[in-house]
């Protein structure tokens, strides 16, 4: 994994929101939404050293352009979004450690990550967001705020789980927010909306209107009705 600093932002003690593409594209939808809504500015790039797959374009192949950006706004650093995440443990661990290093560099005290939560419950256009944290004490605070915590023990794989482990190891508080979804292969815009509303409640920030995400959710539903 290679990292390139393109700017030195004048920020101190920001919150970090870090997530990558996962089931239902929830992590990417949320991160891309925040970047677009807040007009965040790029300041650092993470790039894979070796491709983990190739793209068959129908008779010839292309190499994927696997690049992820760090972006910033007032009091906020956002990492990830877009498509894919590293398939190998070494690059995944390198990415997580770099997020921790950036958190330390700018004296961040809190890391949020987001993703999908696969469930068999019929959602009826109203998915919940489940929260897990890096400590039992922080979880009690979430419950005191009437935030629903994850209902059972489970293993969270990929960047959107592992980053919490790296945060815990390095003494940084972290919260993972995972929106319910039934179909992991379909973009889950309502799960993303649910997470954004929870994120606004926890950070006391507004990330913008989610009306466009709702329209996109309706478009997905129409495509399956036809």
């Amino acid at each position: 994994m290679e990292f390139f600093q393109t700017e030195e932002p004048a920020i101190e003690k920001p919150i970090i929101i870090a997530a990558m593409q996962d089931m239902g594209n929830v992590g990417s939808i949320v991160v891309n939404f925040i970047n677009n809504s807040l007009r965040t500015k790029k300041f650092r790039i993470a790039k894979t050293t070796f491709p983990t797959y190739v793209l068959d374009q129908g008779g010839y192949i292309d190499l994927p352009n696997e690049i992820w950006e760090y972006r910033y706004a007032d009091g906020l650093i956002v990492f990830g979004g877009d498509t894919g995440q590293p398939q190998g443990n070494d690059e995944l661990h390198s990415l997580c450690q770099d997020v921790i290093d950036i958190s330390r560099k700018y004296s961040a005290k809190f890391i949020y990550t987001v993703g999908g939560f696969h469930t068999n419950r019929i959602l009826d256009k109203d998915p919940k967001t489940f929260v897990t944290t890096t400590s039992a004490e922080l979880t009690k605070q979430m419950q005191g705020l009437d935030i629903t915590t994850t209902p059972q023990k489970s293993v969270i794989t990929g960047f959107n789980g592992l980053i919490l482990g790296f945060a815990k190891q390095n003494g940084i508080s972290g919260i993972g927010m995972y929106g319910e979804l039934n179909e992991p292969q379909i973009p889950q815009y309502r799960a993303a909306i649910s997470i954004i509303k929870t994120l606004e409640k926890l950070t006391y920030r507004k990330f913008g209107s989610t009306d466009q995400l709702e329209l996109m959710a309706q478009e997905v539903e129409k495509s399956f009705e036809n």
Side-chain angles (χ1 to χ4, degrees), residues 53-95:
Y53 61 93
V54 297
L55 299 169
D56 186 350
Q57 303 288 15
Y60 67 95
I61 65 99
D62 273 335
L63 295 175
N65 187 27
E66 292 189 295
I67 295 175
W68 299 280
E69 296 178 346
Y70 287 86
R71 304 182 69 88
Y72 73 98
D74 184 34
L76 177 70
I77 289 176
V78 184
F79 170 76
D82 293 322
T83 60
Q85 62 174 283
Q87 302 301 306
N89 285 336
D90 288 346
E91 288 202 330
L92 180 57
H93 293 168
S94 180
L95 263 184

Side-chain angles (χ1 to χ4, degrees), residues 20-30 82-83 181 184-189 192:
M20 305 184 79
Q21 186 182 46
D22 63 341
M23 57 182 173
N25 288 0
V26 176
S28 291
I29 292 170
V30 172
D82 293 322
T83 60
L181 54 87
Q185 306 304 320
I186 301 170
Q188 297 292 332
Y189 295 101

Side-chain angles (χ1 to χ4, degrees), residues 100-111:
I100 296 300
D101 293 343
I102 291 297
S103 300
R104 286 173 165 171
K105 179 177 180 179
Y106 297 102
S107 302
K109 304 298 183 183
F110 224 102
I111 294 176

Side-chain angles (χ1 to χ4, degrees), residues 172-189:
I172 300 174
S173 296
I175 292 179
M177 288 166 281
Y178 306 101
E180 285 185 300
L181 54 87
N182 293 139
E183 299 291 342
Q185 306 304 320
I186 301 170
Q188 297 292 332
Y189 295 101

